[in-house]
Each structure stands twice: as C-alpha cells, then as structure tokens.
Amino acid sequence: MESSTVSKTLSQPEKAKRPGILGLNEGLNRDVLLVTGSLIGLFLLWELVARSGVVPKVILPSPIDVAVALWAVLTSSYLPEHLWITTAETISGFFIGCALGILIGILVANIAWFRTIAYPYIIAFQIVPKVVLAPIFITWLGFGMESKIVMTAAIVFFPVVVNTILGLESVEENAKLLMISLEADRMQIFSKLAWPTALPAVFAGLETSATIALIGSIVAEFISAQKGLGVLLISFGYQLKTDYVFAVIIIISLVGLLMFWAVGYLKRKIVFW
C-alpha cells in the first residue's frame, strides 16, 4: 500500500514536468503560425514596394507577377528538357564527387603517408575558386554534360572529404584498444567501429554538399551550354524578364531542397541510432 502511494506521489511531479502531446502540438502550431505569418508579411511588404513604383518593375517584380511567370514556366513545353539536363548533371556530379570524397577521406584517415602527400593538395584545390575552373573543364571535356558534371563534383568534393576524415578520426582510442584486445583485424575495426562512428559526420558532409551541388552545373551552364536551367536564367535575364528569372530561381531552389531532403531521408534510415 505504502509503495503504491509513494509511486503515485513520485509520478505526479514527473507527469507535471512532461509537456505532453498537447503541449508539443501547441508549440508546433505556434512555430507554424510564426513562420507562415512572417512569410505572408514578407510577401505583402514585397508587393507594396513593387506596386508603389519606388523600385522599377524590371528590377523588382511583384510576387503576383512572379507567381504568374512561375506558372507559365511550369506549364511550358521547354521546361522538362532544361530541368532534366540540369538535374542529371547535378545528381551525377553529386554522386561522383561524394564517392571520391569518401574514398579519399578514408585513405587520408587510415594511411599516414597518403595523408602527408595528399592533404596539402586537397587544401590547395579547395582554396582555388571553383568558378575559375569552369573554363578549364569546358576546354578539357567540351561543351556537353561532362564538363558540368565534373564542375559539380569538384564543388561537392571538399565538404565530404573533410567530414569523412573528421568522423573517422573521432573514434575513441579506448574503443580501438578494446577491438584490438578482442583480436579484431584492421578491416574489422574499420567496418564495425570506425565507419559506423563516422557515418553521422559523413552524412553531415553529404547534406552540405546537397545544398551546393547545383552551383556547379548552373555556373558551368552560364559559361557555355545550350540547355539547362542556367541557360534559362541567362536567356530571361538578357530579355529583362526579371519575373521569369525569379521563377527559374524558385524552381532551382526546389530542386536543391528535394536533394537535401533525399539525403536527410537516407540519413534517418541508415544512421538510425
């Protein structure tokens, strides 16, 4: 009897401290309202500034004009081909750059002489602005998709390689000693300890790369391309169709968001712990 009374007494403060599902929903609803309200306020302010005539329409079109242009682009016959070209370039370059980044990161973290040789070149490669490499890649690989893919791979490479190295080097020394005491070989230590430990950092690099992968293909398309979302941006810009430029920017942002969400989904499934 006394134990049940004590348990009830102890459980009451604990329950009082818990927010509960209702409290969680209230906080979530409040955040949604704040974000939605701020977004609506921003669009209203944008509309007022655009309609007031203070800023020329060619410089800042109204949100309504952008929405109309976005619908026109989405329902056009030319968008699917341009969208496919840019998406294919971006995804291909993303996978190639990330695969190379993970491989180089594993080698740098595990082989001392390779780290001594390769790491200075990796840093030097990152210091060079990738925009200046686009003409070189186009000269080497031509005006097709290959140069855009390599440009994207070059941009996504560094965040992945650095996060892979940091993740592999974050393994505790005591854990390694325990594996060695259990007579685990080098491959077993890597596969059962180092790699699972490094996965959260690796996926952090992949998420970062997913947000910047489009830069490579778009920049390369700016320099030389016949198809792609970058070509649409340049074309609409030359025609002073700023509302259409904003519309294409929104489409590019959506593609980038989808890539980021896809990597995040894989992270939740693979790094489930």
Side-chain angles (χ1 to χ4, degrees):
M1 186 71 178
E2 291 180 359
S3 61
S4 62
T5 304
V6 172
S7 63
K8 289 181 180 179
T9 305
L10 291 174
S11 62
Q12 287 177 357
E14 291 178 358
K15 290 181 179 179
K17 292 178 182 178
R18 296 176 183 174
I21 297 177
L22 182 60
L24 180 62
N25 288 338
E26 289 177 354
L28 182 61
N29 292 335
R30 182 174 62 252
D31 293 342
V32 171
L33 288 175
L34 285 173
V35 173
T36 305
S38 62
L39 185 62
I40 293 174
L42 177 63
F43 277 114
L44 288 176
L45 179 62
W46 180 6
E47 183 71 24
L48 288 174
V49 172
R51 296 296 178 185
S52 65
V54 176
V55 181
K57 186 177 180 180
V58 70
I59 296 177
L60 184 67
S62 70
I64 295 177
D65 293 335
V66 173
V68 173
L70 178 61
W71 177 253
V73 174
L74 290 175
T75 56
S76 65
S77 60
Y78 55 79
L79 178 64
E81 186 176 14
H82 290 280
L83 180 61
W84 161 249
I85 292 294
T86 300
T87 304
E89 293 167 351
T90 303
I91 293 177
S92 301
F94 175 77
F95 278 108
I96 294 173
C98 291
L100 287 175
I102 292 173
L103 176 61
I104 298 298
I106 291 173
L107 295 176
V108 168
N110 289 279
I111 304 175
W113 64 264
F114 185 83
R115 180 189 183 98
T116 303
I117 295 174
Y119 206 68
Y121 293 102
I122 295 173
I123 300 300
F125 180 73
Q126 177 60 19
I127 292 173
V128 176
K130 300 302 176 291
V131 176
V132 303
L133 296 177
I136 298 177
F137 291 149
I138 291 173
T139 302
W140 288 350
L141 302 171
F143 300 103
M145 293 179 62
E146 292 81 4
S147 57
K148 286 75 174 177
I149 292 172
V150 172
M151 184 69 181
T152 302
I155 286 180
V156 305
F157 169 78
F158 190 75
V160 177
V161 70
V162 168
N163 279 272
T164 302
I165 295 170
L166 291 176
L168 291 173
E169 291 181 343
S170 65
V171 180
E172 294 183 3
E173 190 64 27
N174 289 334
K176 287 184 179 180
L177 293 176
L178 177 60
M179 293 287 290
I180 294 172
S181 68
L182 295 174
E183 298 183 353
D185 57 28
R186 193 167 184 176
M187 183 57 66
Q188 289 174 326
I189 293 174
F190 174 79
S191 61
K192 297 183 182 297
L193 175 63
W195 183 243
T197 303
L199 272 178
V202 173
F203 269 98
L206 294 177
E207 287 179 325
T208 303
S209 296
T211 61
I212 62 176
L214 275 165
I215 296 175
S217 55
I218 296 296
V219 168
E221 288 174 356
F222 282 166
I223 296 176
S224 178
Q226 295 180 345
K227 298 175 183 178
L229 295 179
V231 175
L232 289 182
L233 283 175
I234 293 294
S235 177
F236 290 139
Y238 285 156
Q239 299 173 42
L240 298 180
K241 293 183 177 181
T242 314
D243 48 352
Y244 279 79
V245 172
F246 274 89
V248 176
I249 291 174
I250 292 173
I251 295 172
I252 293 173
S253 301
L254 291 176
V255 174
L257 280 174
L258 287 175
M259 289 187 61
F260 179 79
W261 287 337
V263 174
Y265 176 79
L266 289 176
K267 178 182 179 180
R268 290 191 297 272
K269 293 297 182 181
I270 297 175
V271 195
F272 52 85
W273 60 88

